[in-house]
Amino acid sequence: MKNKTVKIFCAIIYSITALAGFVFAAIYIFRPEFMPYHAVAVGKEWAEMSSENQVLILALMRVGGGGWLATSVGILLLLLIPFRTNKFWPYLGIPAIGLSALIPTFSATLFVKLNSPATPPYLVAAILIVLLLITIVMSLIYKNRA
């Protein structure tokens, strides 16, 4: 496998991560009520929640969405500017940004999965974590061969 192939592979994985982040950001920032899996986790429908709890839950969802927005913007900027140069640091910087959002996301969603009957999207986070770890390993291997 050549360095150009590694670069293309990494760029695809980074783009997928950023795109997934933008999707989660949009969902969690603009959704007017909690997700269906939230209802299963708490055992109540949105309308059954007190207005105080609704405000708090929406605020937390928007914070989470804002975190995903910041993560995705960071990945996209690094992908569009320094990644296109032949510097090595973006190959580690981009996954570090993605993992810093994905690991807590995976942990939180897995916690909900293991402690409630809900099915949160923990597998999406797990898959993206594995893919980003693969990009780090591939980058390090092919950096040493270049």
Side-chain angles (χ1 to χ4, degrees), residues 17-18 20-22 24-25 63-73 75 98 101-102 105 128:
T17 303
F22 282 125
F24 279 110
V63 166
W68 272 108
L69 180 61
T71 298
S72 295
V73 168
I75 290 171
L102 284 163
T105 298
L128 290 172

Side-chain angles (χ1 to χ4, degrees), residues 6-24:
V6 171
K7 187 172 186 167
I8 291 168
F9 174 80
C10 290
I12 290 169
I13 299 306
Y14 302 154
S15 298
I16 290 169
T17 303
L19 179 61
F22 282 125
V23 169
F24 279 110

Side-chain angles (χ1 to χ4, degrees), residues 17 71 75 94-105 128-130 132-133 136:
T17 303
T71 298
I75 290 171
I94 295 171
I97 292 170
L99 290 170
S100 69
L102 284 163
I103 291 170
T105 298
L128 290 172
I129 288 169
V130 169
L132 286 175
L133 291 174
I136 292 170

